[in-house]
């Protein structure tokens, strides 16, 4: 038996349970002072006051002394585009001159520039670069994440990206959920024929992804000048028929009906929602859709911030994720997105913690295993160089991650 005992936890903060926390529950966090955690064969067998630890907890265990520090569940980043070729720093002058995100895409840049580089790079090159990102995330306390394809826009390269995601899941400590985002942009080959591209994707790419079991989710970028609501619906329904659960990039720039579509197709989550209106939010609430919000993207694109307080009021469960990608958010720093959750969204520290733990786990289908620290869950926890959770959100820009324990194993730094 593999046994790890984490002792002298000054403060343990965690949500509880294995389902989404919405409304008032979004802010419900259990806080235990002077706590400890026992992890056996990767799973938590005790987590609570140290004074009540089971007899013999330390016996034969690897001891990790938290020395009075804060402990939380491992953070979960539920939205990344982590596997890509090249970067897009050359777009900065365009940005500074006032070109918008969709203007750059229309000029053949943006996503299409990343597609060019992703097609050119070999699977091994993409893997090596992405593995570096995974380690960067782990070092910040992120122990599970979602990753999308979407920079191939043809069968060959979409599959290549998804195979890289599978390799990362198998070879690194990160728990990874995989999403097929073939409908991320209309490729040059189908310029002015988005319907033709959607047909081809549904006929050829999606079945190959499903057959090779390379993704659990199917996503679409439902946006002005990208895919309209009907095209998005076709993609998501075709994915559903093949067993891929729908999620959707909705209302990032314009509210064209993506949030309503999310409700109608039973999407697990709708992502971005910067421009979400009352109608859209009502559809999310009615459909039980999780709102995956990406505040660092608002920051980088210099946009407004999603109407989160209204979402919480409407009982929509909220997640905060990084959106790491080379175009609209070149930062994989989830703690920074969390800071914005506090400072810009005006979420409480407790609401932010729920957004990056149990709600994030629900949005990537890992809620039975991850997202909270309690008996039966996987022993994924982070020891922070902070006395409390507020300190972490307050000290923006610093990495306060002290030790990451993944399935009971402390990771080397
Ligand atoms: O590469 O620009 N919004 N997709 C939708 C992105 C941003 C990623 C990108
Ligand atoms: Zn995205």
């Amino acid at each position: 038996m593999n046994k790890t005992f984490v002792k002298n936890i000054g403060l343990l903060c965690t949500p509880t349970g294995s389902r989404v926390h919405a409304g008032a529950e979004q802010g419900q966090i259990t806080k235990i002072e002077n706590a400890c955690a026992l992890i056996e064969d990767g799973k938590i067998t005790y987590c609570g006051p140290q004074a009540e630890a089971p007899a013999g907890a330390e016996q034969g265990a690897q001891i990790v002394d938290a020395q009075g520090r804060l402990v939380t569940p491992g953070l979960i980043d539920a939205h990344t585009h982590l596997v890509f070729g090249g970067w897009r720093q050359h777009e900065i002058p365009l940005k500074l001159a006032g070109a918008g995100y969709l203007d750059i895409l229309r000029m053949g840049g943006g996503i299409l520039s990343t597609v060019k580089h992703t097609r050119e790079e070999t699977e091994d090159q993409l893997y090596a670069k992405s593995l570096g990102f995974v380690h960067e995330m782990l070092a910040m306390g992120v122990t599970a994440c979602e990753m999308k394809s979407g920079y191939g826009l043809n069968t060959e390269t979409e599959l290549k990206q998804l195979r890289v995601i599978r390799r990362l899941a198998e070879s690194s400590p990160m728990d990874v959920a995989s999403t097929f985002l073939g409908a991320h942009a209309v490729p040059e080959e189908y310029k002015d024929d988005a319907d033709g591209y959607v047909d081809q994707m549904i006929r050829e790419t999606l079945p190959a992804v499903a057959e090779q079991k390379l993704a659990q989710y199917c996503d679409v970028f439902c946006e002005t000048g990208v895919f309209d609501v009907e095209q998005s619906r076709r993609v998501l329904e075709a994915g559903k028929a093949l067993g891929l659960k729908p999620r959707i990039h909705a209302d990032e720039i314009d509210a064209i009906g993506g949030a309503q579509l999310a409700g109608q197709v039973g999407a697990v989550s709708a992502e971005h929602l910067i421009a979400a209106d009352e109608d859209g939010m009502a559809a999310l609430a009615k459909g039980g859709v999780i709102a995956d919000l990406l505040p660092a993207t608002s920051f980088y694109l210099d946009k407004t911030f999603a109407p989160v307080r209204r979402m919480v009021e409407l009982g929509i469960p909220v997640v905060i994720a990084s959106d790491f990608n080379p175009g609209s958010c070149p930062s994989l720093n989830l703690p920074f997105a969390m800071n914005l959750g506090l400072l810009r969204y005006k979420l409480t520290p407790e609401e932010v913690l729920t957004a990056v733990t149990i709600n994030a786990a629900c949005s990537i289908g890992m809620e039975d295993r991850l997202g909270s620290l309690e008996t039966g869950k996987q022993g994924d926890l982070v020891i922070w160089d902070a006395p409390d959770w507020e300190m972490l959100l307050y000290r923006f820009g610093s990495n306060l991650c002290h030790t990451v324990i993944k399935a009971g194993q402390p990771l080397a730094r």
Side-chain angles (χ1 to χ4, degrees):
M1 156 130 39
N2 210 318
K3 197 171 164 186
T4 304
F5 185 60
V6 186
K7 68 177 188 182
N8 299 330
I9 299 172
L11 181 66
L12 185 138
C13 292
T14 181
T16 48
S18 300
R19 52 178 188 80
V20 284
H21 289 200
E25 279 192 5
Q26 176 95 30
Q28 277 169 19
I29 292 295
T30 300
K31 297 181 182 182
I32 307 171
E33 286 177 13
N34 303 318
C36 67
L38 181 63
I39 305 156
E40 295 177 275
D41 287 336
K43 282 194 176 166
I44 298 172
T45 50
Y46 176 79
C47 183
Q50 187 152 298
E52 295 165 29
E58 294 200 31
Q59 243 163 39
Q62 175 179 10
I63 307 288
V64 179
D65 190 343
Q67 297 176 316
R69 293 184 176 88
L70 168 75
V71 165
T72 69
L75 307 181
I76 300 175
D77 190 343
H79 184 135
T80 82
H81 304 247
L82 184 139
V83 179
F84 56 86
W87 287 97
R88 306 220 292 261
Q89 75 278 34
H90 55 275
E91 289 174 3
I92 291 174
L94 294 172
K95 241 171 93 74
L96 295 182
Y101 176 82
L102 292 177
D103 300 326
I104 295 172
L105 180 59
R106 264 191 298 273
M107 291 186 256
I111 295 171
L112 296 177
S113 134
T114 303
V115 166
K116 181 173 172 290
H117 289 105
T118 308
R119 286 179 180 179
E120 282 165 8
E121 288 194 19
T122 66
E123 197 165 318
D124 283 345
Q125 284 170 328
L126 288 172
Y127 171 75
K129 176 174 169 185
S130 311
L131 186 62
F133 297 148
V134 164
H135 284 292
E136 233 184 289
M137 287 164 79
L138 286 164
M140 290 185 186
V142 176
T143 57
C145 73
E146 182 261 14
M147 301 180 190
K148 304 172 197 299
S149 67
Y151 293 123
L153 310 186
N154 61 29
T155 304
E156 180 194 341
T157 313
E158 288 292 315
L159 294 177
K160 177 171 75 177
Q161 263 191 290
L162 291 170
R163 283 194 302 271
V164 170
I165 293 174
R166 179 157 70 190
R167 257 172 92 183
L168 294 168
E170 287 171 356
S171 65
S172 81
M174 186 73 79
D175 267 292
V176 181
S178 174
T179 298
F180 170 62
L181 178 57
H184 192 193
V186 180
E188 298 282 2
E189 307 84 270
Y190 284 87
K191 202 169 178 352
D192 303 322
D193 185 17
D195 280 312
Y197 177 59
V198 167
D199 288 341
Q200 183 272 340
M201 190 200 321
I202 291 176
R203 202 174 48 241
E204 189 185 310
T205 322
L206 248 175
V209 170
E211 203 209 333
Q212 296 176 38
K213 296 192 181 355
L214 282 168
Q216 294 98 53
Y217 296 95
C218 179
D219 194 347
V220 57
F221 188 15
C222 181
E223 187 58 69
T224 306
V226 191
F227 297 99
D228 66 23
V229 169
E230 283 323 305
Q231 289 156 349
S232 302
R233 187 193 309 277
R234 282 171 59 210
V235 172
L236 296 179
E237 291 292 355
K240 248 166 86 173
L242 292 167
L244 301 179
K245 296 192 194 100
R247 57 196 319 134
I248 176 168
H249 281 67
D251 304 355
E252 175 177 356
I253 315 284
D254 299 320
I256 62 165
Q260 287 85 339
L261 177 64
Q264 289 159 12
V265 299
V268 175
S269 60
E271 335 247 329
H272 284 291
L273 301 169
I274 293 174
D277 55 21
E278 277 295 318
D279 261 15
M281 288 190 279
L284 298 178
K286 183 158 172 262
V289 181
I290 300 171
D292 277 11
L293 306 179
L294 313 167
T297 302
S298 287
F299 175 82
Y300 188 72
L301 294 182
D302 204 9
K303 293 274 173 196
T304 55
F305 286 77
V308 195
R309 285 259 57 105
R310 181 72 181 134
M311 291 177 190
V312 174
E313 222 173 88
L314 291 168
I316 300 166
V318 168
V319 166
I320 293 177
S322 72
D323 193 25
F324 176 46
N325 75 76
S328 62
C329 187
S331 165
L332 50 67
N333 192 319
L334 183 61
F336 173 61
M338 289 152 45
N339 301 133
L340 292 174
L342 179 85
L343 299 173
R344 296 297 167 94
Y345 285 163
K346 316 282 186 212
L347 290 174
T348 66
E350 289 80 5
E351 288 170 333
V352 171
L353 181 55
T354 299
V356 293
T357 54
I358 190 61
N359 282 3
C362 290
S363 114
I364 60 170
M366 297 188 185
E367 66 273 22
D368 290 339
R369 258 183 330 120
L370 306 179
S372 65
L373 296 177
E374 49 198 319
T375 301
K377 290 243 176 151
Q378 186 166 298
D380 287 14
L381 52 91
V382 182
I383 303 175
W384 300 99
D385 238 333
D388 54 39
W389 178 245
E390 286 76 2
M391 177 68 88
L392 200 91
L393 298 184
Y394 156 76
R395 296 267 329 268
F396 76 90
S398 288
N399 181 12
L400 299 188
C401 177
H402 182 274
T403 303
V404 174
I405 298 181
K406 182 70 187 169
Q409 287 308 312
L411 301 183
R413 296 210 63 182

